[in-house]
Amino acid sequence: MSDHPQQSPAGPAATPRPVRVLSGIQPTGRFHWGNYFGAIRQYIELQTAGDAFYFIADLHALTTVREPERLRSLVHAAAVDLVALGLDPARATLFVQSDVPEVTELTWLLMTVCPMGLLERCHAYKDKKTRGLPADAGLFTYPVLMSADILAYDATVVPVGEDQVQHIEVCRDLAGTFNHLYGEVFTLPKPRLVESGARVPGTAGQKMSKSYDNTLDVFEDPAVQKKKIMRITTDSRPMEDPKNPDDDHLFALYALVAPEADRLVMADLYRRGGFGYGEVKKALVAAAADFFADSRRRRAELEADPARVEAILADGAARARRQAAAVLARARAACGLTRGGGTPAISRGKA
Ligand code: ATP
Ligand code: MG
């Protein structure tokens, strides 16, 4: 193994690998603007950067969603939303995590080389423990499943928010240990921090988050959304006062959905003062409607045709499984789970 170049990508031929982007999206609720502008939009843009795999992480969701019907509907809705928002199934592979059982087997192989201490340090588990909440083994071992998700597809680039960088490090650790023990089986991925710009604020100023119940959802009923927008908290300075747009969460929300020219005009209005927040809110309602109009139309079409969505997911699963099966075969052969001729033995890195 020592004859492996340090930075060599894994794989029998050790040839440079094409960029393969992988991203998992949790189906734990409807997407809000924070999810979209902070993550999903950037993930979708990466479908043009290389071969992209996107999965809906239903196995991960099982640690929080315990109603089967709800899980089924969230998974379907996530697929609909992603395609409506521009994920192109002809270009990228979209599938449901549990449709690729190879990943769970791979999880076990990785578990056998995973020190407990590594997982004890992971923040999702640590946070829960610190707060005195019970954690199950699913949450504890979630970074191992996430590692398998990444390694099963030979992903080279994993776009993540800052909170997930630690888990990519776990993945690299496990892949490195496995490769060290058994030969170059896995491709080590690199995290790619998505520039989310600023954190998207919620309707009361702090970070937009499902947990804070302060979200504007991407596909919510326009009347409901309008009400939420009209109730966004604002400061109570007199109308005449000039205001700093960069210091105002209402403006921050407007800036996400308004065309550049309108955004500049609004910023100028803020700096000059003499306007009411009600005007900004109305402009925000209109800009949001325009911004998501195409996606809403696509979404309505997809909702009317559930079979089409299921066909997209079936096709994605078939593509994903082919890839995951090849990686799993490499891993099984490398660690001695095959007997005579079953799975081709991997070449032991003569690179
Ligand atoms: P929860 O309240 O359960 O933590 P959430 O609403 O914060 O849910 P997550 O599921 O934690 O949403 O986030 C999914 C993705 O969306 C992550 O990559 C995260 O970085 C991004 N994201 C969530 N909220 C925001 C936000 N307010 N601004 C920017 N990005 C966000
Ligand atoms: Mg969160």
Side-chain angles (χ1 to χ4, degrees):
M1 274 165 285
S2 55
D3 55 354
H4 275 281
Q6 276 291 303
Q7 295 305 318
S8 151
T15 44
R17 293 200 174 266
V19 173
R20 173 158 299 156
V21 179
L22 175 109
S23 178
I25 293 149
Q26 288 256 19
T28 44
R30 307 310 311 279
F31 299 132
H32 56 66
W33 289 19
N35 302 143
Y36 177 69
F37 292 104
I40 291 169
R41 182 166 69 169
Q42 287 84 329
Y43 298 168
I44 291 177
E45 277 165 7
L46 280 169
Q47 71 189 345
T48 55
D51 197 9
F53 281 65
Y54 299 103
F55 66 91
I56 298 166
D58 60 343
L59 294 174
H60 287 293
L62 274 181
T63 64
T64 47
V65 183
R66 258 83 193 236
E67 304 101 52
E69 261 326 304
R70 184 156 165 263
L71 183 61
R72 261 190 284 276
S73 100
L74 285 172
V75 167
H76 184 84
V80 169
D81 287 359
L82 290 169
V83 176
L85 287 168
L87 193 154
D88 177 2
R91 192 189 272 279
T93 300
L94 174 65
F95 61 102
V96 177
Q97 185 184 26
S98 64
D99 282 347
V100 186
E102 285 77 5
V103 165
T104 45
E105 183 172 345
L106 200 52
T107 301
W108 176 257
L109 301 189
L110 295 171
M111 208 96 87
T112 63
V113 300
C114 182
M116 294 286 284
L118 193 62
L119 298 181
E120 276 158 3
R121 285 193 296 277
C122 284
H123 57 71
Y125 168 75
K126 223 164 84 176
D127 292 353
K128 241 190 168 166
K129 226 179 142 213
T130 316
R131 286 190 284 149
L133 298 170
D136 52 40
L139 182 75
F140 183 66
T141 54
Y142 146 88
V144 189
L145 177 56
M146 181 167 159
S147 300
D149 288 327
I150 295 167
L151 300 173
Y153 306 105
D154 279 330
T156 55
V157 171
V158 186
V160 286
E162 234 163 297
D163 54 334
Q164 291 297 327
V165 173
Q166 184 186 41
H167 294 154
I168 307 296
E169 289 309 320
V170 169
C171 175
R172 291 173 57 86
D173 249 9
L174 298 182
T177 306
F178 197 95
N179 285 355
H180 182 72
L181 282 168
Y182 298 122
E184 299 289 304
V185 170
F186 296 122
T187 304
L188 266 55
K190 288 209 175 76
R192 176 172 312 177
L193 264 183
V194 295
E195 331 98 38
S196 58
R199 287 201 174 289
V200 176
T203 50
Q206 75 285 52
K207 182 193 168 197
M208 185 178 288
S209 172
K210 282 189 293 290
S211 314
Y212 303 153
D213 197 18
N214 64 357
T215 62
L216 296 174
D217 297 338
V218 171
F219 291 117
E220 81 193 329
D221 178 77
V224 172
Q225 181 152 93
K226 183 172 177 191
K227 266 197 202 133
K228 283 192 190 172
I229 289 176
M230 297 316 284
R231 280 202 303 258
I232 289 176
T233 55
T234 50
D235 67 32
S236 50
R237 280 176 299 171
M239 273 175 64
E240 305 74 48
D241 282 13
K243 298 172 179 84
N244 179 3
D246 301 327
D247 189 23
D248 181 77
H249 60 274
L250 180 57
F251 181 83
L253 291 168
Y254 180 73
L256 291 171
V257 289
E260 168 88 3
D262 295 357
R263 187 166 56 78
L264 295 175
V265 170
M266 183 66 82
D268 199 46
L269 202 61
Y270 263 76
R271 289 194 192 94
R272 281 193 279 128
F275 70 98
Y277 283 119
E279 288 173 55
V280 190
K281 290 178 178 177
K282 280 193 200 126
L284 175 57
V285 171
D290 284 352
F291 186 88
F292 289 113
D294 286 346
S295 296
R296 276 188 191 269
R297 197 170 342 97
R298 275 197 297 268
R299 186 167 201 288
E301 286 165 18
L302 290 161
E303 263 190 319
D305 192 358
R308 184 167 151 226
V309 178
E310 288 310 316
I312 290 171
L313 293 175
D315 180 53
R319 279 169 13 204
R321 272 198 94 167
R322 269 198 298 280
Q323 175 63 42
V327 173
L328 180 62
R330 276 191 341 242
R332 288 183 63 119
C335 66
L337 289 177
T338 43
R339 289 172 310 283
T343 318
I346 62 154
S347 92
R348 295 272 169 173
K350 295 280 178 281

